[in-house]
Amino acid sequence: IIFQANWYGIFYTLFYGGIAKLAGFSNFYFVTLNFLLLFFSLIIISKIKTSKNNKLIIAVCFMMFNMVFTYAFTFFPETLNIFIGICLSFLLIKVYEKYRIGQERKTIFLYITATIFFSFFRVTWIFWLVGILPFALNKNETIKYFLILTFGIALAFLYVQFFCAPYYVQGGYIIRELLQFHLWEFAKEFAINLARNLYNFFIFQFKVEWYWMFVKMTYIFIVLYLSIQYFKNKNHLIRSVAVIFLMNMFVLFTLYVSVFPYLMKITASIFILFFIVVIYLEKKSIAKLILLSLVASFPFTVLDTYAVIHERKLLYDRSVGADKQQVVAIKSIANMVNTDKESIVQC
């Protein structure tokens, strides 16, 4: 593995470590940076060419969304990925605006470049490239955009192969089988993982609570709505959102896991893209439904956030108190791992 990075690759380390090197590090570093990223996200939202009322509704929906509000108080990179999602959503709307006046080429190139760059942070961003296909003007452009998508996916696989430690999730094994051209094993594990994830999503209750049920119903509603709109509506932006959403769902159900909260982490920005575009295009009935749902669930989001903060405070108190010896023991694992070969340590 080049640079000996973990399964996320090197770019999170460069981003967070580079800023910490310049600005200094403290216990509040991640939370402060998260709020700065949310602030910049709101600035980008304010630059969308729509009415002030629509901008306000988008901003309110954005800040009330569980993944935005709760993860701002954690050390996870989800807020960075949400910021990336806002950037790509903004660029996709720009592509649509330029497409309507026949000047989309430069904006599409910028969108493609940004998507490929951001995929080095989280490899699944590469699948947002499928969003350019509905903007093809003719058959030749469709082929060209499809080849760009294929190139991007191949580049992402090479990045995973050479710059990321082996994934410990089932999808990591499936991807390795593909990269090693074990096509029968790849097809078998691909089908098994898809069946397992469909079962987990529709039948098995990993976490029986109201929010997970709400998320599942929302997924089903969005898939049905976008599938209908793709064929019924000739709007290229709606079609772009549809193929991005469906492509990501397909990849996640075949190569990742479909249980809460992992599915939510990966798809949070697709939800945001969906409600930004719906409000931007003034699909008023759907926009009202989204706003009412987020307003109704926000008190529970606040309680969930409080629980997350309280839990992490307790873990910190334990790490410097009674469990200090356990923390030291876990840290010592690094000295016991054989660095001459690939090793995965699960705690």
Side-chain angles (χ1 to χ4, degrees), residues 27 75 311-331:
N27 289 341
F75 291 1
E311 178 189 16
R312 278 155 178 73
K313 281 185 175 180
L314 288 177
L315 289 172
Y316 174 78
D317 291 340
R318 288 172 59 186
S319 70
V320 296
D323 291 343
K324 191 172 183 179
Q325 288 184 340
Q326 184 179 353
V327 173
V328 172
I330 292 173
K331 286 182 177 180

Side-chain angles (χ1 to χ4, degrees), residues 106-280:
K106 289 182 179 178
T107 316
I108 283 183
F109 176 77
L110 181 59
Y111 177 82
I112 291 168
T113 304
T115 304
I116 291 173
F117 173 72
F118 289 139
S119 69
F120 295 131
F121 285 89
R122 176 174 280 168
V123 71
T124 51
W125 287 117
I126 202 65
F127 298 109
W128 281 52
L129 277 180
V130 75
I132 64 176
L133 288 174
F135 295 105
L137 295 173
N138 49 52
K139 185 178 179 180
N140 287 337
E141 273 205 350
T142 300
I143 294 171
K144 182 177 75 172
Y145 290 161
F146 182 79
L147 289 175
I148 290 171
L149 171 63
T150 305
F151 168 78
I153 294 173
L155 186 64
F157 275 127
L158 289 173
Y159 178 70
V160 168
Q161 178 72 4
F162 293 107
F163 290 90
C164 302
Y167 290 118
Y168 67 90
V169 294
Q170 182 65 19
Y173 173 74
I174 297 171
I175 292 170
R176 286 196 297 276
E177 292 295 332
L178 177 62
L179 293 174
Q180 294 168 12
F181 296 101
H182 299 160
L183 299 183
W184 171 247
E185 285 297 318
F186 165 76
K188 184 175 69 173
E189 293 300 327
F190 184 91
I192 290 171
N193 203 49
L194 175 60
R196 181 191 297 115
N197 280 326
L198 289 172
Y199 172 80
N200 287 340
F201 185 83
F202 287 104
I203 300 173
F204 177 70
Q205 296 298 318
F206 175 73
K207 194 171 184 179
V208 182
E209 58 178 39
W210 72 271
Y211 191 72
W212 177 222
M213 294 300 298
F214 171 74
V215 167
K216 290 206 292 187
M217 294 302 104
T218 304
Y219 268 113
I220 294 168
F221 169 76
I222 293 177
V223 168
L224 291 174
Y225 176 80
L226 289 176
S227 298
I228 293 169
Q229 289 298 313
Y230 184 87
F231 295 102
K232 179 182 176 183
N233 198 318
K234 300 300 182 182
N235 185 286
H236 292 83
L237 184 56
I238 280 288
R239 287 187 164 188
S240 179
V241 175
V243 293
I244 288 172
F245 194 95
L246 296 173
M247 176 75 164
N248 276 271
M249 291 296 291
F250 174 76
V251 171
L252 290 171
F253 271 75
T254 53
L255 297 178
Y256 199 56
V257 293
S258 63
V259 292
F260 187 90
Y262 306 108
L263 193 65
M264 276 296 295
K265 285 183 180 182
I266 300 297
T267 58
S269 290
I270 309 176
F271 275 114
I272 294 169
L273 169 66
F274 174 72
F275 70 65
I276 286 177
V277 168
V278 164
I279 296 167
Y280 170 79

Side-chain angles (χ1 to χ4, degrees), residues 3 13 16 33 63 98 105 127 133 156 165 170 187 239 249:
F3 301 125
T13 303
Y16 288 108
L33 186 55
M63 291 306 299
K98 295 295 183 181
R105 290 185 182 277
F127 298 109
L133 288 174
Q170 182 65 19
R239 287 187 164 188
M249 291 296 291

